[in-house]
Amino acid sequence: MDKPVAKIGLKHGSGGRAMRQLIEDVFLTLASPVDGIGLSALDDGAAIRVGDRWLVVTTDSHVVHPIFFPGGDIGRLSVSGTVNDLAMMGATEPLGLTCAVVLEDGFPRADLERVVASMRETAREANAPIVTGDTKVMGKDEVDGIVLNTTGVALAERVVSDAGLRAGDLLIVTGTIGDHGMAIMSRRHDLRLEGDLRSDVAPLNGLVREALRAGGEDVVAMKDPTRGGVAGVLHEMAAKGKVGIVIDETALPVRDEVRAAGEMIGIDPLLVANEGKAVIAVRARAADKVLAALRAHPLGASATVIATAIAERPGAVILDTGFGKRMLAEPEGELLPRIC
Amino acid sequence: MAGKDLFQELKFRDPVRARALAEAIAREVDAIGRTVPVMHVCGSHEQAIARFGLRAVLPPGLELIMGPGCPVCVTDGPEVDEAVALALQGARVCTYGDMLRLPGTARSLADAQADGAKVEVVYSVSQAVELAQKHPEDEVVFLGSGFETTAVATAAVALASPPKNFSILSVHKYVPAAMNVVAESPQTNIEGYIAAGHAAIITGWGIFEPFAARTGKPVVVAGFEPLDILAAILQLVELMRQGKAEVANVYPRCVTKEGNLPAQRSLWKVFRPVTGTWRGIAEVRDGNLDLRPEYAHLDARKRFRIDTAPVRDEDAEEAAKGCICGSIMLGLANPGDCALFGKTCVPESPVGACMVSSEGQCRIWHTYGGVPDLRKVGT
Ligand code: SF4
Ligand code: SF4
């Protein structure tokens, strides 16, 4: 549909349609068959069969502006991101994390120490030891400040893919949506919004463990709504599971500050990144049990059922606004706040 | 009047009331007994309609069509050329956000900016005045776009003796003219109009009475909450069923019959309506708001020799690229009819004006996932 582009743009990194297209066109050529879930599944990570268990591996590079933001920093983000990607595949006990850092010439040492302290603390919180690393320094302007890469490995008894949805399944979000993205955006664009916009960045493996304990095999798909937000995740789950998804907009947990900021800059909280939330799809019969387990955990206090999978319109995500229904567009490209 | 009680005390985001209104609309449309095409002429209305998915609750017999409701979309290529030329001639050109990427006949202000011209986005005309104060060495030109709503703000600044190095390039447009264009278009089949509440706050709803009388079509002034819009549609179909070409106001919390008189006084003191070309549509009688001769000293067109020849390309018409914005703005087509919609024409690389402006119909439909028939899905 889209003509191939000659150059990579920012939109190719923003978790939307353009990025998926690029991955499919370019990176999937790297995929080779594995016993388990490999690159071609485009899941949160890979799962390779080892005996009767699964070795789950995931990697992520982190860039964020500003690197210190309300509610967190790039260090906490990089550890949480990888721990969460493992957890989304059902691997809630990380064996170890690696950490590779690329720094720009002139990067303040005090900032680096602050970032590393935050990584250490988050790793302890997640019970995820950091076991090896690598450091590179590049010239001025050759890299923007700091790039942090973390890789994680874990063993799991059962793998949860993101393709397991069937009509009738319910989708739960583990807490309020849009907090991270809206906090970053208001900082970046210096919106000086009233209220308390804070990132939700946190490691979720403990929370997910509770959900899996309660739901067992009835937990059929999980994904953390980072770039592309909840909308992106639901689009992916709808496409992979070949179902339609109807979101009940009135049920969405959104903090007032986030809602207000969204209305102000013209960006839907459904589209912005979360760093401490999961979308968990369950068979309807297990929804109550899973919800109760999530709500009993401090990170899941406002867990809510937000959507239902339907047989009609496979691949489509439909928003029931309470007034009517419309399609929820798939996020694409950078989110641009309204300027007028 | 069946709907009257329903919108007496509107709670503006109450889905239960919304359903009741939608059902009442369906009954009226049923009573009319055929498909009724109605038009709203406002980008903000389209935003709300698409955002809340209202088309999915309206009866199939009601066709809700957007008209030329976005002042950015109807700003003509040669008008943008003037601003681009001024910027390249060295002026500091300030304007509202969406105007930046709006293509002229060949180039946009964003292109000029990339070439090193001083182009700045402002949130209000007074910010442009501040820039003029801050940069006495520069000629600061405010490219004034928008309907009555923003033209009033421009007029207020003109009346407040702005600094000597400040001037205005007006591409302001006038809403009632937009409705005339549609009503007079030979292909039009529109049977009723929803008028823009914001503009009517200034002009008052009385201004639509001659229009209704002349065209024989009812007009209802509406606010921007989902219930405002549904209430307006209900009022409109009631009037249509009764065959009354009247004007009704379902936005009484903001709009009066005579409007904001002081604002009108300053508007008409500074501006006069002139015939101008609207993008994709043609000449529109009284469609543009030009500075009056008394304000020639503030009129960029009078102050500078604007040479658009170097930035002009008459052949680079949008229509040649397959863009059907013109038909869309006249309500004769919708974005889904455009072969480029969502494919080669997306918000990041728009082909036509309707995909540039956040009030443009193509952009709105794209943002809200198009408008397939969702009446029966998942219920
Ligand atoms: S300026 Fe007036 S007509 Fe235009 S979008 Fe705003 S309210 Fe509607
Ligand atoms: S989709 Fe693009 S090209 Fe087609 S009518 Fe709209 S603006 Fe023009």
Side-chain angles (χ1 to χ4, degrees):
Chain A
M1 206 159 84
D2 293 300
K3 51 184 183 295
V5 290
K7 288 188 178 157
I8 305 306
L10 276 177
K11 66 175 176 180
H12 292 109
S14 54
R17 197 170 64 131
M19 177 165 159
R20 211 183 51 214
Q21 195 72 48
L22 179 75
I23 292 173
E24 281 170 12
D25 293 351
V26 179
F27 291 107
L28 275 189
T29 59
L30 290 172
S32 43
V34 291
D35 184 7
I37 296 176
L39 183 57
S40 58
L42 298 179
D43 211 320
D44 299 295
I48 304 159
R49 193 189 299 279
V50 180
D52 57 356
R53 290 203 286 180
W54 300 90
L55 179 69
V56 180
V57 190
T58 185
T59 188
D60 219 336
S61 295
H62 300 268
V63 284
V64 60
H65 286 274
I67 61 171
F68 302 104
F69 47 82
D73 57 73
I74 191 170
R76 182 166 176 81
L77 191 65
S78 69
V79 172
S80 302
T82 292
V83 166
N84 293 351
D85 279 348
L86 291 174
M88 294 310 127
M89 306 213 43
T92 57
E93 324 276 352
L95 293 171
L97 257 50
T98 72
C99 162
V101 192
V102 183
L103 293 162
E104 182 182 3
D105 179 13
F107 190 82
R109 181 186 166 113
D111 284 358
L112 181 62
E113 286 179 351
R114 208 174 136 194
V115 167
V116 168
S118 169
M119 291 183 78
R120 195 165 52 230
E121 210 174 288
T122 314
R124 197 174 300 139
E125 191 179 326
N127 206 1
I130 295 177
V131 291
T132 182
D134 173 56
T135 312
K136 297 278 183 308
V137 178
M138 294 184 72
K140 195 122 202 99
D141 297 330
E142 286 172 9
V143 55
D144 193 3
I146 177 170
V147 179
L148 255 183
N149 173 283
T150 50
T151 297
V153 289
L155 283 169
E157 309 291 326
R158 179 173 90 94
V159 191
V160 183
S161 88
D162 55 13
L165 228 58
R166 284 201 315 237
D169 292 344
L170 299 178
L171 294 115
I172 298 171
V173 66
T174 58
T176 55
I177 65 169
D179 301 61
H180 175 77
M182 223 50 107
I184 294 287
M185 249 180 293
S186 67
R187 245 320 141 82
R188 196 181 297 161
H189 298 287
D190 199 14
L191 289 178
R192 282 185 225 107
L193 293 167
E194 296 292 313
D196 184 24
L197 287 172
R198 290 175 68 80
S199 169
D200 58 347
V201 53
L204 292 175
N205 50 334
L207 177 70
V208 169
R209 198 180 301 136
E210 296 307 314
L212 289 173
R213 230 175 241 159
E217 301 276 324
D218 284 339
V219 173
V220 292
M222 291 193 285
K223 210 158 180 64
D224 57 339
T226 54
R227 282 163 317 168
V230 171
V233 163
L234 296 182
H235 269 281
E236 216 171 319
M237 286 187 171
K240 287 185 177 175
K242 300 192 180 59
V243 290
I245 291 180
V246 181
I247 309 175
D248 177 0
E249 192 180 22
T250 57
L252 290 176
V254 184
R255 295 175 52 204
D256 289 344
E257 296 89 329
V258 170
R259 199 185 294 280
E263 296 250 334
M264 195 168 146
I265 60 180
I267 290 180
D268 190 340
L270 275 168
L271 296 172
V272 313
N274 309 270
E275 296 292 349
K277 299 293 152 42
V279 174
I280 300 180
V282 297
R283 300 278 182 251
R285 59 173 178 252
D288 289 342
K289 261 188 300 179
V290 173
L291 262 186
L294 288 169
R295 287 185 182 154
H297 191 281
L299 290 176
S302 43
T304 316
V305 173
I306 59 160
T308 313
I310 57 170
E312 304 146 82
R313 308 252 173 176
V317 180
I318 294 153
L319 189 75
D320 185 339
T321 67
F323 295 93
K325 294 196 192 80
R326 65 166 161 94
M327 305 299 287
L328 180 68
E330 189 175 358
E332 61 183 310
E334 278 281 276
L335 292 176
L336 293 174
R338 169 170 57 218
I339 30 185
C340 55
Chain B
M1 215 182 283
K4 187 124 194 192
D5 299 334
L6 283 171
F7 46 75
Q8 266 317 312
E9 27 168 305
L10 289 175
K11 267 173 62 205
F12 305 104
R13 294 205 179 175
D14 177 350
V16 177
R17 280 161 184 264
R19 263 190 296 281
L21 284 167
E23 281 159 18
I25 292 169
R27 283 195 296 276
E28 290 292 328
V29 172
D30 247 13
I32 296 175
R34 59 189 161 76
T35 301
V36 285
V38 305
M39 175 178 276
H40 68 83
V41 278
C42 173
S44 301
H45 277 154
E46 186 61 26
Q47 283 274 3
I49 290 163
R51 155 82 182 80
F52 290 102
L54 298 187
R55 284 192 179 86
V57 292
L58 293 171
L62 185 96
E63 256 188 274
L64 185 56
I65 297 161
M66 170 164 167
C70 171
V72 177
C73 299
V74 298
T75 301
D76 204 19
E79 293 181 304
V80 177
D81 287 349
E82 290 179 297
V84 172
L86 272 172
L88 293 174
Q89 281 168 231
R92 187 183 284 268
V93 174
C94 317
T95 192
Y96 299 126
D98 280 345
M99 297 297 288
L100 212 65
R101 290 166 63 218
L102 185 69
T105 57
R107 317 174 67 193
S108 66
L109 278 171
D111 297 333
Q113 190 182 42
D115 290 348
K118 292 178 195 158
V119 176
E120 263 162 274
V121 168
V122 291
Y123 297 88
S124 67
V125 55
S126 28
Q127 235 180 317
V129 172
E130 281 163 30
L131 277 170
Q133 281 153 350
K134 238 177 48 207
H135 298 279
E137 73 287 359
D138 280 340
E139 282 293 343
V140 171
V141 178
F142 175 65
L143 173 62
S145 71
F147 288 124
E148 295 82 304
T149 35
T150 52
V152 165
T154 309
V157 158
L159 290 169
S161 0
K164 295 242 167 318
N165 60 330
F166 175 84
S167 57
I168 296 162
L169 179 66
S170 171
V171 296
H172 285 298
K173 308 276 186 256
Y174 190 46
V175 168
M179 292 169 56
N180 287 332
V181 174
V182 174
E184 286 162 17
S185 150
Q187 303 112 296
T188 198
N189 58 350
I190 302 300
E191 296 186 27
Y193 296 84
I194 295 168
H198 292 171
I201 291 173
I202 312 283
T203 56
W205 60 262
I207 196 170
F208 299 111
E209 283 188 325
F211 173 88
R214 194 173 65 246
T215 59
K217 308 283 186 320
V219 177
V220 179
V221 174
F224 299 91
E225 290 293 331
L227 292 195
D228 285 327
I229 294 169
L230 291 171
I233 295 172
L234 177 56
Q235 177 81 76
L236 194 62
V237 288
E238 272 180 16
L239 290 171
M240 285 163 63
R241 178 178 53 76
Q242 297 161 357
K244 289 186 184 157
E246 287 174 6
V247 180
N249 173 27
V250 297
Y251 198 30
R253 65 185 191 277
C254 295
V255 175
T256 59
K257 178 161 189 183
E258 57 289 338
N260 180 339
L261 293 171
Q264 286 172 35
R265 269 195 292 278
S266 37
L267 180 68
W268 298 125
K269 202 161 174 189
V270 174
F271 291 105
R272 59 181 177 150
V274 297
T275 298
T277 307
W278 287 19
R279 183 187 292 251
I281 292 181
E283 296 234 303
V284 176
R285 185 168 24 89
D286 292 343
N288 282 16
L289 295 173
D290 255 14
L291 287 163
R292 289 185 178 277
E294 301 90 285
Y295 294 89
H297 59 289
L298 287 177
D299 190 341
R301 292 192 181 94
K302 306 269 161 54
R303 249 163 80 156
F304 308 104
R305 235 195 51 124
I306 308 179
D307 180 10
T308 56
V311 300
R312 205 160 183 150
D313 179 358
E314 303 287 6
D315 302 327
E317 264 197 71
E318 274 156 23
K321 304 174 210 152
C323 175
I324 59 163
C325 273
S327 311
I328 290 176
M329 287 187 287
L330 284 173
L332 304 173
N334 68 48
D337 299 325
C338 177
L340 310 183
F341 178 69
K343 300 187 177 104
T344 42
C345 184
V346 291
E348 291 143 24
S349 51
V351 175
C354 291
M355 191 62 91
V356 173
S357 162
S358 52
E359 307 262 283
Q361 194 177 3
C362 295
R363 170 80 166 273
I364 295 170
W365 280 34
H366 191 268
T367 303
Y368 295 117
V371 187
D373 192 346
L374 296 176
R375 288 184 179 95
K376 294 214 174 62
V377 169
T379 40

